[in-house]
Amino acid sequence: MSGLKCAIYRYGLTINRHAYCQLGTDYRRVFGCVNNHNLSKYNLQIYRTKHENASITPKLIDDREINSITQNGKPFRTFPNLSEGPDLKDFIKSDVTVDSTETEPVPYLKATCGNDRKVYFSVYGCQMNVSDTEIIWSILKKTGYQKTDTMTEADVILLVTCAIRDAAEQKIWHKLVHLKHYKKWRSLRSDKPPLKVGLLGCMAERLKHKLLETDKIVDVVAGPDSYKDLPRLLSLTEDNQTAINVILSYDETYADVTPVRINQDSVTAFVSIMRGCDNMCTYCIVPFTRGRERSRPIASILDEVSHLSDQGVKEVTLLGQNVNSYRDLSESKFATADKSDPKLAAGFKTVYKPKIGGLRFSDLLDKVSQINPEMRIRFTSPHPKDFPDEVLQLIAERPNICRNIHLPAQSGNSTVLERMRRGYTREAYISLVEHIREIIPDISLSSDFICGFCGETEEEFADTISLMQMVKYNMAYLFAYSMREKTTAHRRHEDNVDPKVKQDRLRRMITIYRTEVQKLNEAMIGRQYLVLVEKKSRKSEFNMQGRTSGNIKVIFPRGSIQDNRCTTKSRNIEAGDYVVVQIINANSQVLKGIPLYHSSITQYALSTGNHYERMAYNL
Ligand code: SAM
Ligand code: SF4
């Protein structure tokens, strides 16, 4: 047993700590991340691996013991407080120059190679999870994994999960029950290695150890900031261990990971620009599952968008939980760039200390939209508080920034908004809508609404309905409130609206939304729109589908149309083309049209004086 030693290191720039054991002259990481300063609390266990000397038995190590261990006559240092912890320089001899461009194999780390094991992704929840999956896939691909789109071929199944509402979590629990049976069936087949199941993302963060304990279906649990650790976590499962890393980071943005697109043929792509949320709306679990707000450095975003443009991608959606709260403070010149007011929309406030300085969302939008004037730019999901005039002016001026703003209202009643801690009143929200429409008259608006939040009365709910009727949204995501543990609402309020009442209110919101959107869509009949062709229609192989700048789906027949407005030459319509479509029919979900001619964002903006629609009689 002698020769078994342990030390704690602060790992890179993250706040994680790791424990290592020394076996003879060899070091090996023995535990995931240690986020507690007191090791004894963790009953840190030295796991045996198949390479270990059989005479060594697992042993618990505690703080006192670590302090008594010496190396070359000097004690190992442990660091009870993070601020007193070792820095990079503590690990570098003063007379050594380090070439940071070379990475050498680390002898004490277990090989993390995927060995061509096939991984299958099952993605739930929002677009952020789709974007995260592309980051995860990039990390795993680099370490020798292959991807399969057929679950039965997979050696590793990874569920990228959502915890925003109970219904989202229930879906995943059902999937786990299914996987339990499948795993058992598969273990009886001798020709295949044991199947491993990983649960990643928000639900992993929320339920942590419970997931490993329940029925032992899950082998790996990794939170949204731990994806770089996945190859190591998965390698631990080869020894039938379970592995978990759910440490949230203050600075992880995956800026150094180039995502590998899951759907390589798609003409649209998502680019994650910030992570986490500092808003703490009382109903929402996101700040607890995704951690503090942090923005990716602007240079890495511009690189990624340029790369996508080179690959022929025609539309990029910038993603973040509060995408327009983006603020790049990564370089000191940015950090001192602007010490003026935080430029919140009028009548809006935040619960956190206003952030100052840095490059803001308008700076990013300006630069991203200049990369390729023929590439459309969208962004989601924004918070209504962060719409200064600079952002609105840019949308108004740049034909390639799409004419759609998502403006999540959540409720139309100021008292409910106060209980939700949204930082605005009904009146401030309506003023913002009016202001947006003054600057961008042809804007389409979308929103999120929650009904049945704690204590919501019938009168308060009526204000939500009236707001929907007043604003008239082209798209709306409507939810019945679902109480989440850890949130302020869970601690301070009562989930006291009867589930039947919630469902009834949800139905009423859906009816109102559909009625209003049907009217908006019908008003588009007879007009022309520039449509980005996305793919063949799912319902008919004779039709194509695309979207207007306002993000409204349009279906139209395939075939050959004029190459441009003033020629007799024609060519086929392909995904990635911009075509001008005349709308001939509409319902609450979709527009139907006749494709007229090929065009481009620039040509169309010039011919319409930067307006996106032309009346049919103007032909
Ligand atoms: N950050 C964006 C904002 O605040 O406007 C929204 C992002 S959130 C992930 C997506 C939507 O889920 C929210 O706008 C809200 O409508 C809904 N949501 C969040 N928590 C919910 C809960 N506990 N019950 C029902 N819906 C919820
Ligand atoms: Fe959730 Fe509010 Fe943050 Fe949106 S702003 S992610 S609703 S806490």
Side-chain angles (χ1 to χ4, degrees):
M1 201 57 245
S2 64
L4 192 65
K5 298 180 181 180
C6 189
I8 310 170
Y9 292 86
R10 190 158 62 143
Y11 188 61
L13 288 173
T14 75
I15 59 162
N16 303 345
R17 287 168 172 216
H18 298 287
Y20 295 88
C21 75
Q22 187 182 0
L23 299 157
T25 55
D26 199 21
Y27 283 88
R28 196 168 303 152
R29 194 190 285 179
V30 292
F31 205 79
C33 291
V34 182
N35 72 343
N36 194 300
H37 305 149
N38 183 355
L39 261 184
S40 55
K41 262 198 184 171
Y42 271 82
N43 282 344
L44 177 65
Q45 179 153 10
I46 305 299
Y47 290 103
R48 299 175 71 179
T49 72
K50 59 186 171 198
H51 308 296
E52 246 174 63
N53 181 332
S55 67
I56 296 175
T57 45
K59 187 186 174 202
L60 301 178
I61 288 190
D62 67 17
D63 277 351
R64 270 168 304 138
E65 195 166 352
I66 290 160
N67 288 331
S68 70
I69 293 172
T70 60
Q71 188 181 38
N72 300 331
K74 290 183 188 163
F76 262 104
R77 286 198 288 156
T78 59
F79 304 97
N81 296 314
L82 192 61
S83 57
E84 294 161 27
D87 209 336
L88 184 61
K89 64 180 179 334
D90 291 307
F91 301 98
I92 300 171
K93 281 165 83 181
S94 53
D95 55 346
V96 173
T97 2
V98 179
D99 179 356
S100 60
T101 57
E102 271 184 32
T103 48
E104 291 200 358
V106 187
Y108 50 78
L109 286 181
K110 193 174 187 317
T112 52
C113 182
N115 292 327
D116 290 336
R117 281 199 290 170
K118 287 187 178 157
V119 56
Y120 175 85
F121 291 101
S122 199
V123 187
Y124 299 81
C126 63
Q127 285 308 336
M128 206 65 193
N129 275 0
V130 178
S131 166
D132 277 8
T133 305
E134 299 187 338
I135 289 169
I136 297 164
W137 171 223
S138 169
I139 292 165
L140 293 182
K141 193 174 180 213
K142 250 193 187 144
T143 41
Y145 285 86
Q146 290 193 11
K147 189 167 88 63
T148 174
D149 295 330
T150 313
M151 198 183 89
T152 47
E153 282 180 359
D155 304 306
V156 179
I157 294 178
L158 295 179
L159 311 181
V160 186
T161 64
C162 171
I164 195 100
R165 283 167 290 276
D166 187 53
E169 279 191 10
Q170 289 311 321
K171 258 194 213 164
I172 291 152
W173 284 116
H174 285 131
K175 180 80 179 180
L176 286 176
V177 171
H178 169 72
L179 284 177
K180 183 182 167 185
H181 298 302
Y182 177 61
K183 218 175 167 183
K184 198 168 168 194
W185 173 81
R186 156 108 177 213
S187 69
L188 302 174
R189 295 183 58 183
S190 55
D191 60 325
K192 291 212 175 194
L195 175 74
K196 303 295 171 190
V197 175
L199 199 136
L200 320 180
C202 291
M203 200 171 154
E205 194 60 53
R206 196 176 95 71
L207 296 167
K208 302 180 182 149
H209 296 280
K210 187 179 170 204
L211 287 161
L212 290 179
E213 286 152 15
T214 311
D215 277 347
K216 310 269 181 269
I217 313 166
V218 175
D219 303 279
V220 166
V221 175
D225 290 345
S226 316
Y227 298 146
K228 284 185 190 156
D229 201 21
L230 256 182
R232 187 189 68 82
L233 297 172
L234 283 170
S235 74
L236 290 175
T237 66
E238 283 177 50
D239 301 323
N240 285 328
Q241 294 176 36
T242 52
I244 180 164
N245 183 347
V246 287
I247 306 291
L248 285 173
S249 159
Y250 279 92
D251 54 13
E252 182 60 89
T253 59
Y254 298 106
D256 51 342
V257 178
T258 308
V260 177
R261 292 167 64 219
I262 300 286
N263 184 356
Q264 298 274 349
D265 299 331
S266 175
V267 297
T268 61
F270 295 96
V271 173
S272 166
I273 66 161
M274 53 90 69
R275 300 179 76 80
C277 175
D278 285 350
N279 283 319
M280 305 296 281
C281 301
T282 55
Y283 52 82
C284 185
I285 188 91
V286 168
F288 304 95
T289 56
R290 287 194 164 260
R292 298 298 298 271
E293 205 167 285
R294 63 221 106 114
S295 295
R296 185 176 157 186
I298 208 160
S300 82
I301 299 170
L302 298 179
D303 276 357
E304 189 178 332
V305 175
S306 301
H307 183 63
L308 290 168
S309 166
D310 294 345
Q311 288 179 343
V313 168
K314 292 292 175 58
E315 181 182 294
V316 158
T317 304
L318 307 175
L319 284 183
Q321 294 300 338
N322 290 284
V323 72
N324 54 341
S325 313
Y326 176 87
R327 203 170 274 259
D328 179 10
L329 299 160
S330 63
E331 291 187 30
S332 52
K333 67 174 192 279
F334 297 160
T336 53
D338 178 5
K339 293 260 185 219
S340 62
D341 70 285
K343 301 201 173 156
L344 291 182
F348 289 74
K349 60 180 195 275
T350 60
V351 290
Y352 55 80
K353 210 170 131 216
K355 292 167 186 159
I356 49 170
L359 290 178
R360 289 164 301 131
F361 185 64
S362 54
D363 302 307
L364 176 71
L365 202 55
D366 175 27
K367 290 185 195 318
V368 167
S369 60
Q370 288 186 51
I371 289 175
N372 178 356
E374 288 304 320
M375 185 190 235
R376 276 184 173 175
I377 310 296
R378 299 188 188 278
F379 55 90
T380 198
S381 174
H383 192 287
K385 71 182 161 55
D386 286 308
F387 274 109
D389 283 359
E390 287 91 330
V391 172
L392 301 177
Q393 292 295 354
L394 268 174
I395 301 173
E397 284 161 17
R398 300 271 161 91
N400 64 334
I401 305 181
C402 289
R403 294 289 205 271
N404 168 245
I405 290 182
H406 188 60
L407 210 59
Q410 312 299 357
S411 167
N413 177 274
S414 296
T415 316
V416 175
L417 287 168
E418 171 104 47
R419 280 207 295 282
M420 288 178 162
R421 210 198 271 137
R422 285 293 286 179
Y424 53 86
T425 57
R426 174 188 171 95
E427 291 68 34
Y429 182 90
I430 292 172
S431 301
L432 177 63
V433 169
E434 285 166 356
H435 187 58
I436 290 173
R437 285 187 165 147
E438 262 164 38
I439 297 179
I440 324 162
D442 57 349
I443 196 79
S444 86
L445 293 177
S446 49
S447 192
D448 296 349
F449 283 97
I450 299 174
C451 65
F453 182 60
C454 309
E456 185 189 67
T457 62
E458 196 49 42
E459 292 71 41
E460 288 169 343
F461 174 68
D463 283 346
T464 292
I465 294 290
S466 78
L467 185 72
M468 292 173 75
Q469 286 170 321
M470 181 187 289
V471 176
K472 302 184 194 312
Y473 297 96
N474 293 83
M475 178 72 201
Y477 300 92
L478 310 170
F479 309 107
Y481 172 62
S482 164
M483 173 73 97
R484 311 310 286 141
E485 275 172 24
K486 277 195 182 177
T487 57
T488 309
H490 185 254
R491 278 180 277 118
R492 292 211 197 131
H493 301 299
E494 206 188 325
D495 184 13
N496 54 0
V497 177
D498 187 302
K500 283 192 190 130
V501 175
K502 278 185 192 169
Q503 287 309 314
D504 179 56
R505 288 181 188 169
L506 180 60
R507 268 192 295 275
R508 283 152 69 194
M509 286 203 297
I510 293 171
T511 308
I512 292 297
Y513 159 65
R514 290 222 174 118
T515 310
E516 294 302 331
V517 80
Q518 169 104 26
K519 287 186 214 159
L520 289 178
N521 286 356
E522 281 172 358
M524 296 167 91
I525 295 174
R527 296 184 179 194
Q528 294 173 20
Y529 291 87
L530 186 69
V531 170
L532 171 61
V533 183
E534 290 175 348
K535 54 188 171 190
K536 276 188 202 154
S537 158
R538 256 188 299 142
K539 288 194 178 151
S540 159
E541 58 170 312
F542 302 110
N543 286 337
M544 302 291 280
Q545 76 175 56
R547 270 168 204 278
T548 65
S549 173
N551 210 17
I552 300 159
K553 194 158 128 186
V554 187
I555 304 286
F556 49 90
R558 288 168 65 188
S560 189
I561 55 169
Q562 277 173 244
D563 197 24
N564 61 56
R565 203 176 157 203
C566 320
T567 183
T568 49
K569 251 175 58 189
S570 67
R571 68 180 159 94
N572 269 339
I573 304 172
E574 308 284 353
D577 289 347
Y578 288 105
V579 296
V580 177
V581 177
Q582 174 140 2
I583 306 305
I584 54 165
N585 209 340
N587 59 34
S588 61
Q589 277 145 34
V590 74
L591 305 173
K592 290 186 181 157
I594 304 284
L596 300 177
Y597 57 90
H598 288 272
S599 188
S600 70
I601 295 180
T602 325
Q603 275 170 12
Y604 195 69
L606 282 174
S607 69
T608 57
N610 204 1
H611 286 291
Y612 273 80
E613 71 260 35
R614 300 171 64 226
M615 302 303 287
Y617 51 79
N618 261 352
L619 265 173

